[in-house]
């Protein structure tokens, strides 16, 4: 079984080699075009045109309308394909006449040679049935046969270094194409035989597909833009420039692959936050690479760009595998093969989209830039190079924020699929969150992303958390607002918090914030202070509601019982609950009495919350666990203590008091 999995991973890695080879073949075509007609962008545009249609027909993407892709995707694809046809006609027939460049025939021949080799290599790889060494020999002989016309083409190149670089580059890319598995033919058959996409109506997968598609378009566009920028930034032809670009491409791709393997081997957690951080690094690197001229500066920003790319691709690869579990919740059986080919389809579509967009842009540049007679690339073209990839990456980040399959939902999903919490309410809850279309409020994700770098808390006590005993209740100190923020960011599991009902309603939150601290703002009339409270209440309630909270009202018995009923229901569905039952102390501020929580200790706890243990036991027959937590602003720590377990044998009133007292004592110990 391990050998089969290893072989499958090797095939997946090899299946990407045709896309990796594309970048090297693009650089090769640009070098030839730069040498022959002094315009590298012409060779780039011709290669992009050929690559678009090669991938489209060899991948059998014309069959996507049968259900393998959304209608919107097909509509946009047809627009881009139509635009690419007009661009290709302009390049082949209009450019030689307008620009008076007869040498374009040689460039066209070389690009056609590369495109034909790609198509025939895929077909030969699929047709060869000889196993082992014999198969490799046949592939080698085929590449040697195709090397002959390239050898003849090289005789027209007078510059010896360029001639050898052309031959070596042609042989290297042929090697990459030759030793890839025949995945294009397999993908074509898969699309032809797929009557219905098993994942098309799963909301979390659709969000992931969009996130993956736009990220890969951005990554591909970013590479293409930078290659074109570097080639045109040196008007005088230099073969060394293309060598450096080829080395850079190989280094970036190898680094991304090695990073992914290292992460998988070490078992590091790859979350949506890592994706967003990677996107931020990639965007920063993209912006700065176009501005820095020095070697060390360019190397640094290129390194940051590459590390961001590695983070993005690693998260995408990891998340793709999780949808096998999500499909189970939806009542579908999805194999690794299905996920592999769905990922391939997204990748091929992203390459076609990015190539088509780049082709349209470069076709304009081909005609306009030489006519401008400027030694530098005009600002409008440089800004396009930066803005287009960044725009697509920002769209991808938007879908990442909408993704309901975050790390906490994944933990819950793992518990269900592994049988540690296999009950009907949990399945219904997961189905509602991950399968059905649901509005995802991502205020909590934005809050965690921006606040976490400023806290730097040391987390301890995670070893006390026993997932097989989940769901549980986490009891945390308040510390004004420090405790809730720290718990939201650092509690290493999924949960739903108790939040005061006043703070999840905008108008009530405005009055509460006004009565707590805004009234103390000096030199402003009461009406202005109330306006400030209403302005602040909007984002506060938006962020709090994104936690999917359990509203709490303390002064109405009927609403208190509703809170307990909702909490037991949430626990029965498999969600943990986070509460802050600390009693605030009354203090006098000026001529007004208000309440506040201790910042360096733990106040007495309300005891009513412990009734959850009895109600949950009556509903499920299971003994609930209460975990004490203390977040220390002074020591920069977030400590989780050993749980207190509900005992059904005790008197209900005594048990309630026992749980509250034990938790209070444990929280005081954690505070020391």
């Amino acid at each position: 079984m391990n050998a089969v999995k290893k072989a499958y991973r090797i095939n997946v890695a090899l299946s990407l080699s045709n896309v990796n080879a594309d970048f090297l073949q693009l650089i090769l075509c640009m070098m030839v075009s730069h040498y022959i007609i002094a315009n590298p962008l012409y060779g780039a545009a011709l290669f992009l045109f050929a690559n678009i249609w090669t991938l489209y027909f060899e991948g059998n993407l014309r069959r996507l309308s049968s259900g393998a892709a959304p209608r919107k995707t097909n509509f946009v694809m047809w627009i881009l394909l139509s635009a690419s046809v007009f661009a290709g006609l302009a390049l082949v027939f209009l450019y030689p006449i307008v620009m008076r460049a007869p040498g374009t025939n040689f460039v066209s021949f070389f690009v056609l040679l590369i495109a034909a080799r790609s198509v025939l290599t895929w077909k030969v790889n699929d047709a060869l049935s000889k196993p082992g060494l014999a198969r490799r020999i046949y592939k080698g002989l085929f590449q040697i046969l195709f090397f002959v016309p390239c050898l003849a083409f090289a005789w027209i190149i007078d510059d010896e270094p360029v001639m050898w670089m052309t031959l070596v580059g042609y042989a290297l890319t042929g090697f990459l194409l030759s030793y890839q598995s025949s995945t294009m033919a397999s993908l074509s058959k898969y699309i032809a035989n797929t009557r219905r996409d098993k994942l098309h109506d799963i909301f979390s997968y659709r969000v992931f597909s969009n996130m993956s598609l736009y990220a890969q378009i951005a990554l591909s566009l970013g590479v293409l833009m930078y290659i074109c920028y570097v080639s045109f930034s040196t008007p005088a032809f230099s073969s060394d420039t293309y060598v450096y670009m080829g080395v850079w491409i190989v280094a970036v791709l190898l680094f991304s692959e090695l990073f992914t393997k290292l992460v998988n081997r070490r078992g590091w957690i790859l979350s949506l936050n890592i994706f967003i951080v990677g996107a931020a690094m990639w965007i920063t690197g993209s912006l700065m690479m176009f501005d820095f001229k020095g070697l060390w500066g360019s190397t640094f920003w290129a390194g940051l760009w590459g590390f961001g790319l590695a983070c993005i691709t690693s998260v995408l690869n990891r998340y793709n595998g999780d949808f096998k579990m999500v499909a189970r919740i939806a009542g579908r059986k999805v194999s690794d093969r299905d996920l592999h080919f769905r990922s391939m389809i997204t990748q091929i579509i992203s390459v076609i989209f990015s190539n088509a967009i780049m082709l349209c842009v470069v076709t304009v540049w081909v005609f306009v830039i030489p006519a401008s007679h400027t030694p530098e690339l005009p600002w409008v073209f440089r800004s396009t190079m930066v803005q287009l990839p960044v725009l697509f990456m920002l769209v991808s980040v938007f879908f990442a924020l909408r993704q309901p399959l975050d790390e906490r939902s994944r933990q819950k999903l793992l518990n269900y699929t592994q049988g540690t919490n296999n009950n009907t309410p949990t399945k219904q809850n997961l189905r509602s969150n991950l399968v059905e279309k649901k509005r995802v409020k991502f205020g909590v994700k934005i809050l965690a992303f921006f606040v976490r770098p400023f806290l730097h808390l040391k987390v301890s006590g995670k070893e006390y958390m026993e997932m097989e005993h989940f769901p549980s209740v986490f009891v945390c100190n308040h510390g004004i607002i420090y405790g809730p923020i720290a718990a939201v960011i650092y509690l290493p599991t999924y949960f739903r918090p108790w939040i005061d009902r006043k703070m999840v309603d905008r108008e009530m939150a405005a009055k509460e914030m006004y009565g707590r601290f805004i009234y103390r703002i000096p030199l402003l009339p009461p009406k202005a202070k109330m306006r400030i409270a209403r302005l602040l209440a909007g984002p506060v309630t938006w962020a709090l509601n994104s936690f999917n909270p359990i509203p709490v009202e303390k002064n109405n018995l009927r609403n208190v019982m509703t809170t307990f009923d909702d909490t037991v229901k949430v626990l029965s569905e498999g969600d943990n609950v986070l509460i802050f039952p600390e009693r605030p102390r009354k203090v006098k501020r000026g001529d007004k009495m208000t309440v506040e929580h201790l910042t360096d200790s733990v106040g007495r706890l309300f005891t009513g919350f412990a009734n959850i243990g009895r109600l949950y036991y009556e509903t499920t027959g299971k003994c609930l666990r209460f975990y004490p937590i203390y977040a220390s602003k002074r020591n920069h720590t977030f400590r989780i203590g050993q749980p207190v377990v509900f005992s059904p044998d005790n008197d209900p009133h005594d048990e309630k008091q026992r749980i509250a007292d034990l938790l209070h004592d444990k929280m005081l110990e954690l505070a020391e």
Side-chain angles (χ1 to χ4, degrees):
M1 181 62 69
N2 290 334
V4 173
K5 289 184 177 179
K6 184 177 180 181
Y8 180 76
R9 288 196 298 267
I10 290 173
N11 283 337
V12 172
L14 288 174
S15 69
L16 304 180
S17 65
N18 64 308
V19 179
N20 297 347
D22 284 349
F23 292 129
L24 297 178
Q25 291 183 127
L26 171 68
I27 293 172
L28 196 59
C29 292
M30 293 176 69
M31 182 186 71
V32 170
S33 180
H34 200 167
Y35 174 78
I36 294 177
I37 63 172
N39 190 343
L41 298 181
Y42 182 78
L46 281 182
F47 174 79
L48 292 172
F49 174 76
N51 198 45
I52 289 167
W53 289 99
T54 299
L55 290 173
Y56 180 76
F57 283 109
E58 287 304 309
N60 201 18
L61 298 192
R62 61 187 180 279
R63 298 291 297 272
L64 282 177
S65 57
S66 63
R71 289 183 178 180
K72 290 181 179 179
T73 302
N74 287 295
F75 177 71
V76 175
M77 181 181 289
W78 273 110
I79 291 178
L80 291 174
L81 289 174
S82 301
S84 72
V85 170
F86 288 109
L89 293 174
L91 290 168
V92 174
F93 298 106
L94 191 60
Y95 181 84
I97 299 173
V98 173
M99 306 306 293
R100 298 178 182 178
T104 54
N105 292 332
F106 294 105
V107 179
S108 300
F109 171 79
F110 186 75
V111 173
L112 182 62
L113 184 64
I114 282 185
R117 183 186 62 171
S118 298
V119 173
L120 292 176
T121 298
W122 289 329
K123 292 188 179 299
V124 168
N125 287 355
D126 184 52
L128 285 176
S129 58
K130 299 286 184 181
L133 181 60
R135 182 184 177 92
R136 295 190 184 97
I137 292 174
Y138 277 107
K139 286 183 177 180
L141 289 174
F142 173 77
Q143 288 301 320
I144 292 173
L145 179 64
F146 232 95
F147 190 74
V148 173
C150 181
L151 195 61
F153 174 81
W155 284 108
I156 69 170
I157 301 177
D158 297 329
D159 192 318
E160 187 172 346
V162 177
M163 180 186 70
W164 285 110
M165 285 175 56
T166 303
L167 293 174
V168 171
Y170 188 85
L172 175 62
T173 52
F175 174 82
L176 288 173
L177 292 171
S178 178
Y179 283 87
Q180 68 175 336
S181 59
S182 55
T183 50
M184 291 302 289
S186 301
L187 176 65
S188 177
K189 294 173 184 176
Y190 175 81
I191 293 176
N193 296 327
T194 300
R195 296 290 177 262
R196 181 174 175 270
D197 178 15
K198 298 176 184 178
L199 297 166
H200 80 284
D201 59 345
I202 296 178
F203 174 68
S204 57
Y205 185 79
R206 291 204 307 271
V207 173
F208 170 76
S209 294
N210 284 315
M211 167 183 155
S212 177
L213 176 64
Y214 286 105
Q216 292 188 63
I217 291 174
L219 295 175
S220 183
L221 261 181
V223 174
L224 295 173
M225 291 284 186
Y226 192 64
I227 290 173
C228 290
Y229 172 77
V230 172
S231 69
F232 207 84
S233 62
T234 53
F237 175 74
S238 173
S239 57
D240 292 343
T241 301
Y242 296 95
V243 174
Y244 296 147
M245 283 195 292
V247 172
W248 176 70
I249 288 292
V250 172
V252 166
L253 296 173
L254 286 177
F255 175 75
S256 179
E257 184 69 22
L258 291 173
F259 180 80
T260 302
K261 289 182 177 180
L262 177 64
V263 165
N264 293 335
R265 184 177 299 174
R266 294 290 182 91
W268 293 343
I269 295 176
L270 290 171
S271 63
L272 290 173
N273 285 339
I274 299 296
F275 179 90
I276 295 172
V277 169
M281 289 190 294
W282 185 88
I283 289 173
T284 304
S286 297
L287 295 173
M288 300 305 295
M289 279 196 308
F290 288 92
D291 290 333
F292 266 78
K293 303 295 183 183
L295 175 62
W296 293 110
S298 299
T299 303
F300 173 78
W301 293 116
L304 186 69
W305 185 94
F307 187 74
L309 181 147
C311 292
I312 292 167
T313 53
S314 298
V315 173
L316 292 177
N317 292 337
R318 181 262 199 176
Y319 260 82
N320 188 60
D322 290 340
F323 288 99
K324 191 174 180 180
M325 295 186 293
V326 178
R328 177 179 168 183
I329 297 295
R332 318 277 169 74
K333 188 176 181 181
V334 175
S335 64
D336 291 335
R337 181 175 179 271
D338 290 322
L339 290 174
H340 167 59
F341 280 119
R342 292 305 310 171
S343 178
M344 279 285 294
I345 289 171
T346 302
Q347 185 185 30
I348 297 300
I349 291 175
S350 70
V351 172
I352 291 177
F353 275 32
S354 59
N355 283 13
I357 294 169
M358 192 66 191
L359 172 61
C360 295
V361 173
V362 171
T363 301
V364 175
W365 292 351
V366 163
F367 286 92
V368 174
I369 292 178
S372 64
H373 303 293
T374 57
E376 267 189 27
L377 201 63
W379 176 85
V380 66
F381 298 124
R382 291 203 308 272
S383 62
T384 304
M385 288 179 166
V386 174
Q387 292 166 6
L388 265 179
V390 168
L391 177 63
F392 280 102
M393 186 58 74
L394 289 176
V395 174
S396 178
V397 169
F398 168 76
F399 281 107
L401 290 170
R402 292 193 65 204
Q403 176 57 254
L405 185 61
D406 55 16
E407 196 56 36
R408 289 164 178 169
S409 297
R410 185 176 185 269
Q411 256 185 6
K412 188 175 174 182
L413 184 64
L414 278 171
N415 287 347
Y416 179 82
T417 54
Q418 293 174 357
T420 57
N421 190 16
N422 202 339
N423 59 64
T424 301
T426 300
K427 182 178 180 180
Q428 291 173 346
N429 181 259
L430 286 168
R431 187 180 179 90
S432 172
N433 289 334
L434 303 179
V435 179
E436 299 170 3
K437 186 174 182 179
K438 185 178 180 181
R439 185 181 177 186
V440 179
K441 300 175 181 178
F442 44 79
V444 60
K445 296 178 183 178
I446 296 176
L447 179 67
F449 178 75
F450 284 105
V451 174
R452 187 176 186 123
F454 299 98
L455 290 185
H456 301 294
L457 301 186
K458 182 180 179 181
V459 181
S460 62
K462 289 191 287 186
E463 64 275 10
Y464 298 132
M465 298 174 59
E466 301 174 3
M467 294 182 63
E468 62 269 18
H469 293 133
F470 281 1
S472 299
V473 175
F474 297 96
V475 181
C476 185
N477 67 306
H478 212 291
I480 304 179
I481 196 65
Y482 193 81
I485 292 177
V488 164
I489 296 174
Y490 284 96
L491 189 58
T493 186
Y494 54 91
F495 62 85
R496 288 180 61 182
W498 272 15
I499 294 181
D500 192 336
R501 187 181 297 274
K502 296 175 184 176
M503 298 306 296
V504 294
D505 178 87
R506 184 171 181 176
E507 192 60 34
M508 295 173 67
K511 293 179 181 178
E512 184 72 9
M513 293 166 69
Y514 178 85
R516 287 286 185 93
F517 58 90
I518 292 181
Y519 76 93
R520 288 183 278 173
I521 299 176
L523 306 178
L524 287 177
K527 287 186 178 181
K529 295 177 183 179
M530 195 63 200
R531 288 195 190 97
I532 294 173
R534 288 195 177 96
L535 286 173
L536 293 176
V540 168
T541 55
W542 172 73
L544 292 177
N545 278 299
S546 71
F547 290 98
N548 197 12
I550 303 170
V552 180
E553 188 168 331
K554 303 172 185 176
N555 301 323
N556 185 302
L557 181 60
R558 178 177 296 177
N559 288 338
V560 169
M561 293 309 299
T562 300
T563 298
F564 281 114
D565 291 341
D566 290 343
T567 303
V568 172
K569 180 181 178 183
V570 165
L571 290 167
S572 300
E573 291 174 349
D575 283 325
N576 300 306
V577 174
L578 172 67
I579 63 177
F580 305 90
E582 190 179 359
R583 290 177 183 267
R585 61 179 181 176
K586 293 183 178 181
V587 294
K588 189 173 184 180
R589 298 289 185 188
D591 58 348
K592 188 174 180 179
M593 293 297 295
T594 185
V595 295
E596 65 178 27
H597 293 90
L598 298 174
T599 58
D600 56 354
S601 186
V602 184
R604 301 301 302 178
L605 304 183
F606 289 107
T607 60
F609 75 91
N611 285 319
I612 301 171
R614 176 178 57 82
L615 295 172
Y616 183 73
Y617 180 79
E618 292 173 355
T619 302
T620 65
K622 297 178 182 179
C623 294
L624 191 64
R625 295 182 171 227
F626 295 81
Y627 284 86
I629 297 174
Y630 186 80
S632 174
K633 183 178 182 180
R634 180 182 57 192
N635 299 324
H636 300 285
T637 56
F638 185 81
R639 296 171 178 168
I640 304 168
Q642 294 183 0
V644 176
V645 184
F646 171 78
S647 175
D649 299 329
N650 296 335
D651 176 77
H653 181 271
D654 293 341
E655 180 62 10
K656 178 178 69 173
Q657 190 66 48
R658 181 186 76 89
I659 291 173
D661 289 343
L662 275 176
L663 286 170
H664 181 260
D665 293 342
K666 287 177 178 288
M667 291 168 73
L668 284 176
E669 291 177 7
L670 295 172
E672 294 177 356

